[in-house]
Amino acid sequence: MTAESEIKAAPDTAASLPIALDAVGGDHGAVPNVEGAVMAAKAGVRVTLVGDQVKLHAELSKHSGISALPLTVVDAPDVIGMDEHASDVRGRKEASINVAAHLVKAGQAAALVSMGHSGATMAASLLILGRLPGIDRPAILTYIPARTGPVALLDAGANADVKASYLAQWAQLASLYLRVIEERENPTVGLLSIGEEAHKGSALTLEAHALLRQQAGINFYGNIEGSDIFKGTTDIVLTDGFTGNIVLKLAEGEARVLLGWVKDALTSSPRAKLGGLLVRDGLRAISERMNPSTYGASILLGVRGLSYIGHGSADAVAVKNALLRASRAHQSRFIERLSEGLAGSNSAQP
């Protein structure tokens, strides 16, 4: 399966654990979360909606046939707003993100999905689920549409200040992720820098480059530049969370601008409108590939459980795709296989 392909429910989902959805998080609250959960449930994914049960039941009642769908509600009367501090998770046990994370910790849910406060989601995942052995900091892995297909970028915003050792750990995590989830046997790893030469870059990239050259179990390509991301020069791009988040938002913003320019050009005259009709299907396919909703949510790699972080502005399609992606990762036994892979790689280190 690839990130740009249609995400489908994994087989035998009826016997699997539900996905815990922070169903009141995000810019738009329960509405897109509930709609996305209903769409995922119709595709065969069990979903536990976590949040104010009165609001969630009221929203669910707007959808027909929900009594036959694998949907449950767990009450969480509190929610951490998008403008609040991530550290609030420590003292607000009844917040929806904390309740959802505890369901995963207790083995009552297969994964956590939230379109709410990304910092709070990361904090709850760290505090409640904990880190995998040998991992100092988790990282957000997201996808950037490229010429050759989607490229995995990490860190996309979890860690603004990093050490070279973190980048080496993330290379290992991302390589295992692509092997297990996308069946890429030997994914290439690139280190984002200001030049391809090994001697170029900041003190961080110079040290990270040296570590990655020596690291067993990864296919290190070397340094790459910003333009290489969109060429698909490597399957994986490593950088700090500050830079990675800027790259992600720049790519998303430029995509919107470019599509807007194309739309303006194809509606500028009667002749242009005729041409627009001829290329409509092709443009629709391009728009779909560049739409963040296609990718659903980004996985937080390095914690002891499946945790997915989406956009606060996510629509129902993004919620659905995030739930389907989490379900497939659970069915693939990703965390177990990741733990096994990390143990094997660490034992092989000199």
Side-chain angles (χ1 to χ4, degrees):
M1 166 183 154
T2 63
E4 67 178 342
S5 63
E6 181 183 358
I7 304 173
K8 299 179 181 178
D12 195 27
T13 53
S16 68
L17 290 170
I19 309 301
L21 173 65
D22 176 11
V24 289
D27 295 337
H28 308 298
V31 176
N33 284 301
V34 170
E35 184 180 353
V38 170
M39 293 165 68
K42 289 179 178 178
V45 176
R46 294 179 61 196
V47 183
T48 294
L49 296 95
V50 181
D52 185 312
Q53 61 180 352
V54 175
K55 292 181 180 178
L56 293 179
H57 281 299
E59 195 61 39
L60 281 168
S61 67
K62 299 176 183 178
H63 299 269
S64 60
I66 60 169
S67 60
L69 296 176
L71 295 167
T72 55
V73 173
V74 169
D75 187 39
D78 188 17
V79 58
I80 296 177
M82 301 296 281
D83 58 345
E84 296 185 275
H85 293 289
S87 58
D88 289 353
V89 298
R90 292 182 178 274
R92 295 165 64 176
K93 295 182 179 180
E94 293 186 315
S96 54
I97 190 63
N98 280 332
V99 174
H102 275 296
L103 289 174
V104 178
K105 177 71 173 181
Q108 297 175 335
L112 161 66
V113 171
S114 177
M115 304 296 168
H117 196 304
S118 58
T121 304
M122 179 179 170
S125 299
L126 269 173
L127 291 170
I128 297 169
L129 302 179
R131 293 189 297 266
L132 288 168
I135 301 301
D136 294 315
R137 295 281 183 88
I140 298 173
L141 182 151
T142 194
Y143 286 104
I144 301 290
R147 185 172 63 190
T148 57
V151 169
L153 171 76
L154 70 166
D155 178 23
N159 307 274
D161 299 303
V162 308
K163 299 178 180 179
S165 58
Y166 300 169
L167 292 168
Q169 292 169 12
W170 299 343
Q172 194 176 16
L173 289 171
S175 296
L176 287 166
Y177 179 81
L178 263 63
R179 288 177 192 143
V180 172
I181 300 300
E182 298 193 14
E183 299 179 347
R184 299 194 205 179
E185 287 301 318
N186 196 28
T188 51
V189 177
L191 178 64
L192 189 62
S193 187
I194 58 173
E196 295 181 355
E197 298 83 357
H199 64 272
K200 287 188 175 181
S202 64
L204 172 66
T205 55
L206 292 175
E207 184 180 355
H209 186 104
L211 285 177
L212 292 163
R213 280 286 179 209
Q214 301 169 4
Q215 189 170 3
I218 67 164
N219 183 7
F220 184 51
Y221 173 89
N223 287 353
I224 63 168
E225 300 181 65
S227 59
D228 287 309
I229 298 175
F230 303 103
K231 293 176 185 175
T233 301
T234 60
D235 299 306
I236 297 164
V237 176
L238 295 175
T239 188
D240 61 90
F242 181 85
T243 305
N245 192 263
I246 291 174
V247 169
L248 174 63
K249 290 178 179 177
L250 174 64
E252 291 176 347
E254 183 67 7
R256 285 192 291 269
V257 170
L258 287 173
L259 288 172
W261 286 346
V262 171
K263 181 179 179 181
D264 291 343
L266 293 176
T267 56
S268 60
S269 68
R271 179 178 294 181
K273 290 179 181 179
L274 178 60
L277 291 174
L278 297 175
V279 299
R280 182 175 54 187
D281 291 343
L283 290 175
R284 185 179 291 117
I286 293 173
S287 177
E288 182 69 15
R289 290 180 64 180
M290 299 174 73
N291 186 354
S293 295
T294 302
Y295 303 89
S298 303
I299 189 170
L300 181 64
L301 282 177
V303 294
R304 290 178 180 267
L306 292 169
S307 178
Y308 287 82
I309 301 173
H311 281 275
S313 59
D315 58 15
V317 173
V319 175
K320 179 201 72 172
N321 283 336
L323 292 166
L324 295 180
R325 190 173 297 284
S327 177
R328 288 207 63 91
H330 169 59
Q331 294 294 330
S332 299
R333 297 181 57 253
F334 173 65
I335 294 298
E336 293 87 345
R337 292 166 71 179
L338 178 60
S339 300
E340 293 166 3
L342 287 173
S345 297
N346 291 335
S347 64
Q349 295 292 333

